[in-house]
Amino acid sequence: MLLRLASERATGALLRDRGTLYLVEGQVVHAESPAAPGIDVMLSATGRLRADGWTQAIREAGADGAVGRYLVDSGLVSGGELEICHLGALFDAAFFALSPSSGPTRFRYGVAHWIGPVRPVPAEAVERETLRRRALLDRLWAHPETDTAPVVPSPRTARLRTAPRQRAVLDLADGVRTPPDIARALGRPAFHTLIDVRRLAAAGLVETPRPAADRPTPPPDVARLMAMSADPDVALLRRLRDALEATL
């Protein structure tokens, strides 16, 4: 449906049960999902934008659908910072919004998001990146139930050293917080937290919630799995940088 709307150069909001994509003339201009921290969290995580600055931007420019432009014009963030954080938040939320679902999909023509234009992304690129991310998670640990269940550390966790990124996740794993909860607390993209949780689950450092009918999984090669800890933020930032430079 997304690609059909893109071919029609449609403008509006594509609503699914796990998120919403906003289109302008067939291109994706924003995405939101309850499972992904919003662009306000991404900007705040850099330490550049305080909560009162975000509130000010919403109050002054939200009704006009120009929050992004206001943030730049008022000097609260630079144009480059806004574009990188916006693209990161867009791809993060789109991953969840486009996940397989049995719920209804609706499109509301003419609906616009209050952040306003920042950097449109072709629908094909959003779909391609979503599929790439889904395949990556499945290669790491093919148990998607770990993405939504509370993260429960195993008894082995305290005895093993982990990378700083993964240790930060483990420090918040209390058997209550889910990966999206942890991502929000850390100010990180939710997808990157899913990567950390799946790696930890594959290494046996957090519990994998499995239906009773699931077959036992082979014992993991902990050293190999923990070595696969390349920071996903770096790869994402490189792709975003290349996308920005390609338009200069």
Side-chain angles (χ1 to χ4, degrees):
M1 185 174 182
L2 175 63
L3 298 182
R4 177 174 62 80
L5 291 167
S7 67
E8 295 174 359
R9 299 180 63 85
T11 294
L14 179 64
L15 290 82
R16 307 198 74 224
D17 57 355
R18 297 198 66 193
T20 302
L21 272 65
Y22 294 85
L23 281 69
V24 172
E25 294 187 355
Q27 291 192 304
V28 181
V29 295
H30 195 61
E32 290 182 329
S33 170
I39 186 174
D40 56 327
V41 176
M42 301 291 192
L43 289 170
S44 299
T46 67
R48 178 70 184 275
L49 183 65
R50 301 191 311 271
D52 56 351
W54 180 258
T55 302
Q56 174 187 339
I58 295 292
R59 183 178 60 249
E60 297 293 333
D64 298 327
V67 170
R69 176 47 49 195
Y70 180 89
L71 288 169
V72 175
D73 290 347
S74 61
L76 292 171
V77 299
S78 69
E81 287 174 315
L82 177 65
E83 288 189 0
I84 289 176
C85 287
H86 176 259
L87 285 171
L90 186 156
F91 282 114
D92 199 37
F95 172 79
F96 295 98
L98 294 176
S99 61
S101 168
S102 59
T105 298
R106 303 179 303 279
F107 188 74
R108 296 178 58 190
Y109 286 90
V111 174
H113 194 271
W114 41 258
I115 197 168
V118 178
R119 177 170 289 273
V121 180
E124 294 83 356
V126 174
E127 182 194 45
R128 184 168 58 249
E129 177 64 9
T130 297
L131 294 173
R132 186 196 69 83
R133 293 182 177 204
R134 194 175 302 148
L136 171 60
L137 289 176
D138 286 342
R139 287 198 303 272
L140 292 174
W141 189 239
H143 291 273
E145 58 271 21
T146 60
D147 298 344
T148 55
V151 183
V152 181
S154 74
R156 306 172 57 202
T157 300
R159 302 196 302 270
L160 291 175
R161 297 183 62 184
T162 56
R165 280 187 56 88
Q166 294 164 343
R167 174 51 57 182
V169 171
L170 287 172
D171 287 344
L172 292 175
D174 56 3
V176 177
R177 294 185 179 96
T178 64
D181 295 333
I182 293 175
R184 199 166 286 106
L186 293 173
R188 295 178 181 172
F191 174 73
H192 297 168
T193 304
L194 298 188
I195 287 178
D196 290 328
V197 170
R198 290 221 194 184
R199 282 176 172 153
L200 290 166
L205 300 183
V206 302
E207 302 294 338
T208 298
R210 291 174 298 184
D214 277 4
R215 295 190 299 270
T217 53
D221 181 347
V222 175
R224 182 185 66 81
L225 290 164
M226 300 312 291
M228 295 169 56
S229 58
D231 192 334
D233 288 308
V234 174
L236 174 64
L237 289 173
R238 284 173 178 162
R239 289 196 300 276
L240 297 181
R241 180 201 62 192
D242 292 342
L244 292 174
E245 290 179 348
T247 63
L248 296 179

